[in-house]
Amino acid sequence: MMYTKEAIENMDRITRLKLFNAISGIKSANLIGTIGTNGTTNLAIFNSVVHIGSDPALVGFISRPQTSEVGHTLRNIQENGHYTINHVHPEFIKNAHYTSAKFEAHLSEFKQCKLTEEYTKGFQAPFVKESTFKMGVLFKEAIEIKLNGTFLVIGEIDHVMLPKNSFVDDDINLELTKSVGVSGLNTYYSLKKLEKHPFVRIHEVPKFLE
């Protein structure tokens, strides 16, 4: 199958949405936890969390255009400066998925989707208790992407909690953490470790052409 630019432009909105949310392949499924100035917590599923840098330890995610109905996550982050990123595991995929519903601002997705708030001393945002792999993140900046009105939200990792024995030989085994991948908006995958290769140095590159 091949789609030209003209065919893409003529697609109905839902078909285009599903195609281009899945086209980049399997991504990590994460729940981002925040709390507003009024004390109401918020939880939303994201498939766009990416590594930005290691020193300092930075992560980013894409926030949709802000409206009065959506955008509670970014507003809370900008107001509070703290947020959490929590891996999704098979036991609560369904609960995590339904946090994407457009709940009213005064309702907490934690309660509506039966997930549990968890707090760490000195960190002002809720973690997901059911998640065994989670990060506390400090907000650094939100860069507007003018092409579509979204924002790249960048934060510095302040806390990391992960399953015992999952960090082995300087490598996180995501199969052992039972972290879940997502394709598009609503299809979830388990992760299986296939191969591991050494850090690449030019003199160690295999001679593929021989």
Side-chain angles (χ1 to χ4, degrees), residues 146-161:
K146 291 183 170 55
L147 288 170
N148 62 0
T150 58
F151 291 85
L152 171 60
V153 182
I154 299 175
E156 182 173 356
I157 298 173
D158 189 66
H159 289 65
V160 178
M161 289 167 269

Side-chain angles (χ1 to χ4, degrees), residues 82-103:
H82 292 68
Y83 58 104
T84 69
I85 299 176
N86 308 265
H87 285 210
V88 175
H89 306 303
E91 296 80 6
F92 59 94
I93 290 174
K94 185 175 182 179
N95 307 68
H97 178 73
Y98 281 92
T99 65
S100 60
K102 294 179 181 178
F103 292 104

Side-chain angles (χ1 to χ4, degrees), residues 125-141:
F127 294 87
V128 176
K129 185 176 182 179
E130 289 80 2
S131 176
T132 61
F133 193 158
K134 41 202 168 189
M135 295 158 272
V137 187
L138 304 178
F139 174 60
K140 292 302 176 183
E141 64 177 319

Side-chain angles (χ1 to χ4, degrees), residues 3 6 34 41 44 49 62 68 96 102 108 112 120 130 135 140 143 150-151 175 180-181 188 197:
Y3 294 99
E6 181 181 4
T34 62
T41 57
V49 174
I62 299 297
S68 58
K102 294 179 181 178
S108 171
Q112 300 301 314
T120 295
E130 289 80 2
M135 295 158 272
K140 292 302 176 183
I143 301 170
T150 58
F151 291 85
E175 185 175 357
V180 165
Y188 297 86
H197 297 279

Side-chain angles (χ1 to χ4, degrees), residues 22 45 53 55 65 76 88 109 123 127 129 167 174 181 185 189 203:
I45 192 164
D55 187 15
N76 288 350
V88 175
E109 289 82 359
F123 199 81
F127 294 87
K129 185 176 182 179
F167 189 47
L174 293 174
L185 298 174
Y189 294 84
H203 63 279

